Amino acid sequence: MSYRVQFTGPAGTTAVEAAVRLARIAAGRERIVHLSGSYHGMTRDSIGVSGLGAPRGVPPATRGVTTVPHELEQPSAGRASEELERAFTAPGSTPPAAFIVETVQGEGGVRPTTTTRLREIERLCRAHGTLLVVDDIQAGCGRTGPFLSFEADGVEPDVVCLSKSLSGVGLPMGLVLIRPSLDVWDPGEYSGTFRGNNLAFVTARLALSEWWSDGALRQSVSQRSEPLVQGLTAIAARHDWLAPPTGRGLMLGLPCADRHVADLVSTLAFTQGLLVETCGRRGEVVKLLPPLTVTKAEVALQILEHVTDQVAGSRPVGSTLPAAT
């Protein structure tokens, strides 16, 4: 690929900060568009373009940011397209500098953005001179199958943010991939002390050469995902307070009735040796991120089945999953 590589710091949020700042410089505009439920980091600009609300002590962004409802929050595909179009063509506003999107929202509830919607976003970006920024920090590095999650969707972002799994073993590392014509940084303009973690550079190179030199790992992610999805679907079918799993590849979510139930599933799973997170706009989704090298024997569906049965036994009679998830 023809991207230029910029090492921005040790965390995903530094990659997003760099991408947002670069977009505003390159486009000569300020406004950034993002989807509701998105999560792009914990520093100022990253929080400003996230759709989960600002944490305590950080005022919400009120200027230069437009939030578009995620397609799963819209009553129809047509309405979703209308909202998307409005973000680019609202009367009295200039086109945005950038549209930042996750192909699969991680903290927002493991909610995929469909191929149709991603291509629509790309089309609008091209029509209005807006940069398309893909935040691949959670969904990238093979998590959904291909190394970059958008490869299967047929879109070509202007900027890509990567971090987390990039080092291969979880060491701090973050970078952005930049279309060469958009590399408008002056020398040292976006710089700092902690740009190169030497050990992470070594392990990242080995991860690429050993695990991505052929298509084996990509294929194995798909092979490992299918039985996991089937197992989670069967577990969800046993309980009326669970919804079918969401996500792609080995980035999966199991929606629960509410935050309390998701927390209980996570806590009980931990006591039985299984680490699962919670996420979602209300903290109601159990998030599964097994290692890409997980074996069939290590996929702990039996633990999840036992845990959900335990939770079911403690729930009030008639307590079911809400209609809106």
Side-chain angles (χ1 to χ4, degrees):
M1 304 177 80
S2 62
Y3 291 115
R4 289 184 179 171
V5 182
Q6 177 187 7
F7 292 92
T8 58
T13 191
T14 58
V16 172
E17 293 272 336
V20 169
R21 182 170 161 189
L22 177 67
R24 285 172 167 156
I25 295 171
R29 308 170 195 157
E30 180 183 11
R31 192 160 59 94
I32 309 293
V33 181
H34 67 102
L35 295 176
S36 61
S38 61
Y39 173 79
H40 298 292
M42 290 296 288
T43 47
R44 186 61 180 266
D45 279 348
S46 301
I47 291 170
V49 297
S50 295
L52 291 177
R56 292 184 300 173
V58 179
T62 56
R63 293 180 54 199
V65 175
T66 299
T67 303
V68 176
H70 191 279
E71 58 194 290
L72 292 178
E73 299 172 22
Q74 299 284 10
S76 67
R79 180 62 179 275
S81 294
E82 290 173 8
E83 293 284 352
L84 196 57
E85 185 88 30
R86 189 175 295 115
F88 286 84
T89 61
S93 66
T94 58
F99 195 121
I100 185 168
V101 63
E102 301 161 276
T103 61
V104 182
Q105 289 188 342
E107 298 308 301
V110 198
R111 304 193 302 180
T113 306
T114 62
T115 296
T116 298
R117 191 65 60 231
L118 288 170
R119 291 179 177 176
E120 189 174 11
I121 292 170
E122 182 183 43
R123 177 184 63 79
L124 288 165
C125 285
R126 300 291 173 253
H128 295 278
T130 297
L131 275 64
L132 174 58
V133 179
V134 170
D135 179 347
D136 231 13
I137 291 165
Q138 285 201 42
C141 301
R143 172 57 53 185
T144 64
F147 186 79
L148 298 172
S149 68
F150 54 83
E151 291 180 50
D153 297 302
V155 298
E156 296 183 7
D158 297 296
V159 180
V160 182
C161 302
L162 293 170
S163 184
K164 298 188 187 298
S165 302
L166 186 64
S167 73
V169 291
L171 295 173
M173 193 179 208
L175 61 79
V176 290
L177 307 178
I178 305 168
R179 192 182 293 278
S181 61
L182 299 171
D183 184 8
V184 296
W185 292 118
D186 289 333
E189 185 175 7
Y190 192 91
S191 186
T193 305
F194 193 23
R195 292 295 182 265
N197 176 342
N198 290 343
L199 184 56
F201 273 61
V202 172
T203 57
R205 184 187 66 80
L206 286 172
L208 288 171
S209 63
E210 296 296 321
W211 295 337
W212 292 98
S213 57
D214 54 29
L217 186 56
R218 175 174 180 164
Q219 183 178 2
S220 71
V221 169
S222 299
Q223 291 172 341
R224 290 175 170 92
S225 174
E226 186 175 350
L228 184 54
V229 170
Q230 291 174 350
L232 292 173
T233 301
I235 289 172
R238 291 160 58 96
H239 306 290
D240 58 6
W241 47 272
L242 290 175
T246 60
R248 295 181 189 171
L250 291 177
M251 183 176 183
L252 299 170
L254 188 62
C256 301
D258 52 46
R259 175 190 295 271
H260 170 73
V261 176
D263 285 343
L264 188 56
V265 170
S266 176
T267 299
L268 289 174
F270 178 76
T271 65
Q272 297 180 42
L274 176 64
L275 288 171
V276 291
E277 299 181 69
T278 61
C279 62
R281 302 191 70 181
R282 302 183 302 278
E284 78 286 5
V285 179
V286 174
K287 182 167 68 173
L288 291 88
L289 297 170
L292 304 190
T293 54
V294 67
T295 66
K296 185 176 181 180
E298 292 169 336
V299 175
L301 284 170
Q302 287 185 330
I303 292 178
L304 279 175
E305 184 176 330
H306 178 61
V307 164
T308 53
D309 285 345
Q310 284 183 283
V311 174
S314 66
R315 287 180 61 75
V317 175
S319 180
T320 61
L321 187 75
T325 60

Coordinates of all heavy atoms in Angstrom, one line a residue, residues 177-228:
L177 N -1.5 5.9 9.2 CA -1.1 5.7 7.8 C -1.7 6.9 7.0 O -2.9 7.1 7.2 CB -1.6 4.4 7.2 CG -1.3 3.1 8.0 CD1 -1.9 1.9 7.4 CD2 0.2 2.9 8.1
I178 N -0.9 7.5 6.2 CA -1.4 8.8 5.6 C -1.2 8.7 4.1 O -0.1 8.3 3.6 CB -0.6 10.0 6.1 CG1 -0.6 10.1 7.6 CG2 -1.0 11.3 5.4 CD1 0.4 11.0 8.2
R179 N -2.3 9.0 3.3 CA -2.1 9.1 1.9 C -1.1 10.2 1.6 O -1.1 11.3 2.1 CB -3.5 9.5 1.3 CG -3.5 9.4 -0.3 CD -4.9 9.8 -0.8 NE -6.0 9.0 -0.4 CZ -6.3 7.9 -0.9 NH1 -5.6 7.4 -1.9 NH2 -7.4 7.2 -0.5
P180 N -0.1 9.8 0.7 CA 1.1 10.7 0.5 C 0.8 12.2 0.2 O 1.4 13.1 0.7 CB 1.8 10.0 -0.7 CG 1.5 8.6 -0.5 CD 0.1 8.6 -0.1
S181 N -0.3 12.4 -0.6 CA -0.6 13.8 -1.0 C -1.1 14.6 0.2 O -1.2 15.8 0.1 CB -1.7 13.8 -2.1 OG -2.9 13.1 -1.6
L182 N -1.5 13.9 1.3 CA -2.0 14.6 2.5 C -0.9 14.8 3.6 O -1.2 15.3 4.7 CB -3.2 13.8 3.0 CG -4.4 13.7 2.1 CD1 -5.4 12.7 2.6 CD2 -5.0 15.0 1.8
D183 N 0.3 14.3 3.3 CA 1.4 14.5 4.3 C 1.9 15.9 4.3 O 2.9 16.2 3.7 CB 2.5 13.5 4.0 CG 3.6 13.5 5.0 OD1 3.4 14.2 6.1 OD2 4.6 12.9 4.8
V184 N 1.2 16.8 5.0 CA 1.5 18.2 5.0 C 2.1 18.7 6.3 O 2.3 19.9 6.5 CB 0.2 19.0 4.7 CG1 -0.4 18.7 3.3 CG2 -0.9 18.8 5.8
W185 N 2.6 17.7 7.1 CA 3.3 18.1 8.3 C 4.6 18.8 8.0 O 5.3 18.4 7.1 CB 3.6 16.9 9.1 CG 2.5 16.1 9.7 CD1 2.2 14.8 9.5 CD2 1.6 16.5 10.7 NE1 1.1 14.4 10.2 CE2 0.7 15.4 11.0 CE3 1.4 17.7 11.4 CZ2 -0.3 15.5 11.9 CZ3 0.4 17.8 12.3 CH2 -0.4 16.7 12.6
D186 N 4.9 19.9 8.7 CA 6.2 20.5 8.7 C 7.1 19.6 9.5 O 6.6 18.9 10.4 CB 6.2 21.9 9.3 CG 5.5 22.9 8.4 OD1 5.5 22.7 7.1 OD2 4.9 23.9 8.9
P187 N 8.4 19.6 9.2 CA 9.3 18.8 10.0 C 9.2 19.1 11.5 O 9.3 20.2 12.0 CB 10.7 19.2 9.5 CG 10.5 19.6 8.1 CD 9.1 20.3 8.2
G188 N 8.9 18.0 12.3 CA 8.8 18.2 13.8 C 7.5 18.8 14.2 O 7.4 19.1 15.4
E189 N 6.6 19.0 13.3 CA 5.3 19.7 13.7 C 4.5 18.9 14.7 O 3.9 19.4 15.6 CB 4.5 20.1 12.5 CG 3.3 20.9 12.8 CD 2.5 21.4 11.6 OE1 2.9 21.0 10.5 OE2 1.6 22.2 11.7
Y190 N 4.5 17.6 14.5 CA 3.8 16.7 15.4 C 4.8 15.8 16.0 O 5.1 14.7 15.4 CB 2.6 16.0 14.8 CG 1.7 15.3 15.8 CD1 0.6 15.9 16.3 CD2 2.0 14.0 16.2 CE1 -0.2 15.3 17.2 CE2 1.2 13.4 17.2 CZ 0.1 14.0 17.6 OH -0.8 13.4 18.6
S191 N 5.4 16.2 17.1 CA 6.6 15.4 17.6 C 6.4 15.3 19.1 O 5.5 15.7 19.7 CB 7.9 16.1 17.3 OG 9.0 15.3 17.7
G192 N 7.4 14.6 19.7 CA 7.3 14.4 21.2 C 8.4 13.4 21.6 O 9.2 12.9 20.8
T193 N 8.4 13.1 22.9 CA 9.5 12.3 23.4 C 9.3 10.8 23.2 O 10.2 10.1 22.8 CB 9.6 12.5 25.0 OG1 9.8 13.9 25.2 CG2 10.8 11.7 25.5
F194 N 8.1 10.3 23.3 CA 7.9 8.9 23.4 C 7.2 8.4 22.0 O 6.1 8.0 22.0 CB 6.9 8.5 24.5 CG 6.9 7.0 24.9 CD1 7.9 6.2 24.5 CD2 5.8 6.5 25.5 CE1 7.8 4.8 24.8 CE2 5.7 5.2 25.8 CZ 6.7 4.3 25.5
R195 N 8.0 8.5 21.0 CA 7.5 8.1 19.7 C 8.0 6.7 19.2 O 7.3 6.1 18.4 CB 8.0 9.2 18.6 CG 7.3 10.5 18.8 CD 5.8 10.4 18.5 NE 5.1 11.7 18.6 CZ 4.6 12.2 19.7 NH1 4.6 11.5 20.8 NH2 4.0 13.4 19.7
G196 N 9.1 6.3 19.7 CA 9.6 5.0 19.3 C 9.9 4.1 20.4 O 10.9 4.2 21.2
N197 N 9.1 3.1 20.7 CA 9.3 2.1 21.7 C 10.1 0.9 21.0 O 9.6 0.2 20.2 CB 8.0 1.6 22.2 CG 8.1 0.4 23.2 OD1 9.2 -0.2 23.3 ND2 7.1 0.2 24.0
N198 N 11.4 0.9 21.3 CA 12.3 0.0 20.5 C 11.9 -1.5 20.5 O 11.9 -2.2 19.5 CB 13.7 0.1 21.0 CG 14.4 1.4 20.7 OD1 13.9 2.1 19.8 ND2 15.5 1.8 21.3
L199 N 11.4 -1.9 21.7 CA 11.0 -3.3 21.8 C 9.8 -3.6 21.0 O 9.6 -4.6 20.3 CB 10.8 -3.7 23.3 CG 10.4 -5.2 23.5 CD1 11.5 -6.1 22.9 CD2 10.3 -5.5 25.0
A200 N 8.8 -2.6 21.0 CA 7.6 -2.8 20.2 C 7.9 -2.8 18.7 O 7.2 -3.5 17.9 CB 6.6 -1.6 20.5
F201 N 8.9 -2.0 18.3 CA 9.3 -2.1 16.9 C 9.8 -3.5 16.5 O 9.4 -4.0 15.4 CB 10.4 -1.1 16.6 CG 9.9 0.3 16.3 CD1 9.2 1.1 17.2 CD2 10.3 0.9 15.1 CE1 8.8 2.3 16.9 CE2 9.8 2.2 14.8 CZ 9.1 2.9 15.7
V202 N 10.5 -4.1 17.3 CA 11.1 -5.4 17.0 C 9.9 -6.5 17.0 O 9.9 -7.3 16.0 CB 12.1 -5.8 18.1 CG1 12.5 -7.3 17.9 CG2 13.3 -4.9 18.0
T203 N 9.1 -6.4 18.0 CA 8.0 -7.4 18.0 C 7.0 -7.2 16.9 O 6.4 -8.2 16.4 CB 7.3 -7.4 19.4 OG1 6.8 -6.1 19.7 CG2 8.3 -7.9 20.5
A204 N 6.7 -5.9 16.6 CA 5.8 -5.7 15.5 C 6.3 -6.2 14.1 O 5.6 -6.8 13.3 CB 5.6 -4.2 15.4
R205 N 7.6 -6.0 13.9 CA 8.2 -6.5 12.7 C 8.1 -8.0 12.6 O 7.8 -8.6 11.6 CB 9.7 -6.0 12.6 CG 10.3 -6.5 11.2 CD 11.8 -6.2 11.2 NE 12.6 -6.9 12.2 CZ 12.9 -8.2 12.0 NH1 12.6 -8.8 10.9 NH2 13.6 -8.9 12.9
L206 N 8.4 -8.7 13.7 CA 8.3 -10.1 13.8 C 6.9 -10.6 13.6 O 6.7 -11.6 12.9 CB 8.9 -10.6 15.1 CG 10.4 -10.6 15.2 CD1 10.9 -10.9 16.6 CD2 11.1 -11.5 14.2
A207 N 5.9 -9.9 14.2 CA 4.5 -10.3 14.0 C 4.1 -10.2 12.6 O 3.4 -11.1 12.1 CB 3.6 -9.4 14.9
L208 N 4.6 -9.2 11.9 CA 4.2 -9.1 10.4 C 4.9 -10.2 9.6 O 4.3 -10.8 8.8 CB 4.6 -7.7 9.9 CG 3.8 -6.5 10.4 CD1 4.4 -5.2 10.0 CD2 2.4 -6.6 9.8
S209 N 6.2 -10.4 9.9 CA 6.9 -11.3 9.0 C 6.5 -12.8 9.3 O 6.5 -13.6 8.4 CB 8.4 -11.1 9.2 OG 8.8 -11.4 10.5
E210 N 6.2 -13.1 10.6 CA 5.9 -14.5 11.0 C 4.4 -14.8 10.8 O 4.1 -15.9 10.4 CB 6.3 -14.7 12.4 CG 7.8 -14.6 12.7 CD 8.6 -15.6 11.9 OE1 8.2 -16.8 11.8 OE2 9.7 -15.3 11.4
W211 N 3.6 -13.9 11.1 CA 2.1 -14.2 11.1 C 1.4 -13.7 9.9 O 0.3 -14.2 9.6 CB 1.5 -13.6 12.4 CG 2.0 -14.2 13.7 CD1 2.5 -15.5 13.8 CD2 1.9 -13.7 15.0 NE1 2.9 -15.7 15.1 CE2 2.5 -14.6 15.8 CE3 1.5 -12.5 15.5 CZ2 2.6 -14.4 17.2 CZ3 1.6 -12.3 16.9 CH2 2.2 -13.2 17.7
W212 N 1.9 -12.7 9.2 CA 1.2 -12.1 8.1 C 2.0 -12.3 6.7 O 1.7 -11.6 5.8 CB 0.9 -10.7 8.3 CG -0.1 -10.5 9.4 CD1 0.2 -10.3 10.7 CD2 -1.5 -10.7 9.3 NE1 -1.0 -10.2 11.5 CE2 -2.1 -10.5 10.6 CE3 -2.4 -11.0 8.3 CZ2 -3.4 -10.6 10.9 CZ3 -3.7 -11.1 8.5 CH2 -4.2 -10.9 9.8
S213 N 2.9 -13.2 6.7 CA 3.7 -13.4 5.5 C 2.9 -14.2 4.5 O 3.2 -14.3 3.3 CB 5.0 -14.1 5.8 OG 4.8 -15.4 6.4
D214 N 1.8 -14.9 4.9 CA 0.9 -15.6 4.1 C -0.5 -15.4 4.6 O -0.7 -14.6 5.5 CB 1.2 -17.1 4.0 CG 1.3 -17.7 5.4 OD1 0.6 -17.3 6.3 OD2 2.0 -18.7 5.6
G215 N -1.5 -16.1 4.1 CA -2.9 -15.9 4.5 C -3.4 -16.8 5.6 O -4.6 -16.8 5.8
A216 N -2.4 -17.5 6.3 CA -2.8 -18.5 7.2 C -3.6 -17.9 8.4 O -4.6 -18.4 8.8 CB -1.6 -19.3 7.7
L217 N -3.1 -16.8 9.0 CA -3.7 -16.2 10.2 C -5.1 -15.7 9.8 O -6.0 -15.8 10.6 CB -2.8 -15.2 10.8 CG -3.3 -14.6 12.2 CD1 -3.5 -15.8 13.2 CD2 -2.4 -13.6 12.7
R218 N -5.1 -15.0 8.7 CA -6.4 -14.4 8.3 C -7.5 -15.5 8.1 O -8.6 -15.4 8.6 CB -6.3 -13.7 7.0 CG -7.6 -13.2 6.4 CD -7.3 -12.3 5.1 NE -8.6 -11.8 4.6 CZ -8.7 -10.8 3.7 NH1 -7.6 -10.2 3.3 NH2 -9.8 -10.4 3.2
Q219 N -7.1 -16.6 7.5 CA -8.0 -17.7 7.3 C -8.4 -18.4 8.7 O -9.5 -18.7 8.9 CB -7.4 -18.8 6.4 CG -8.3 -20.0 6.1 CD -7.6 -20.9 5.1 OE1 -6.5 -20.8 4.7 NE2 -8.4 -22.0 4.8
S220 N -7.4 -18.5 9.6 CA -7.7 -19.1 10.9 C -8.6 -18.2 11.7 O -9.4 -18.8 12.5 CB -6.4 -19.4 11.6 OG -5.8 -18.1 12.1
V221 N -8.6 -16.9 11.6 CA -9.5 -16.1 12.3 C -10.9 -16.4 11.9 O -11.8 -16.5 12.7 CB -9.2 -14.6 12.1 CG1 -10.3 -13.7 12.6 CG2 -7.8 -14.2 12.8
S222 N -11.1 -16.5 10.6 CA -12.5 -16.8 10.1 C -12.9 -18.2 10.5 O -14.1 -18.4 10.9 CB -12.5 -16.8 8.5 OG -12.2 -15.5 8.1
Q223 N -12.0 -19.1 10.5 CA -12.3 -20.5 11.0 C -12.6 -20.6 12.4 O -13.6 -21.3 12.9 CB -11.1 -21.4 10.6 CG -10.9 -21.7 9.2 CD -9.7 -22.5 8.9 OE1 -8.8 -22.6 9.7 NE2 -9.6 -23.0 7.7
R224 N -12.0 -19.8 13.2 CA -12.2 -19.8 14.7 C -13.5 -19.0 15.0 O -14.1 -19.2 16.0 CB -11.0 -19.2 15.4 CG -9.8 -20.1 15.4 CD -8.6 -19.4 16.1 NE -7.5 -20.3 16.3 CZ -6.5 -20.5 15.4 NH1 -6.5 -19.8 14.3 NH2 -5.5 -21.3 15.7
S225 N -13.8 -18.0 14.2 CA -14.9 -17.2 14.4 C -16.3 -17.9 14.3 O -17.2 -17.8 15.1 CB -14.9 -15.9 13.5 OG -16.1 -15.2 13.7
E226 N -16.3 -18.7 13.2 CA -17.6 -19.4 12.9 C -18.2 -20.2 14.0 O -19.3 -20.0 14.4 CB -17.5 -20.2 11.6 CG -18.8 -20.8 11.1 CD -18.6 -21.5 9.8 OE1 -17.5 -21.4 9.2 OE2 -19.6 -22.2 9.4
P227 N -17.4 -21.1 14.6 CA -18.0 -21.9 15.7 C -18.3 -21.1 17.0 O -19.2 -21.4 17.7 CB -16.9 -23.0 16.0 CG -15.7 -22.5 15.4 CD -16.1 -21.6 14.3
L228 N -17.5 -20.0 17.2 CA -17.7 -19.1 18.3 C -19.1 -18.4 18.1 O -19.8 -18.3 19.1 CB -16.6 -18.2 18.5 CG -16.6 -17.2 19.7 CD1 -16.8 -18.0 21.0 CD2 -15.4 -16.4 19.7

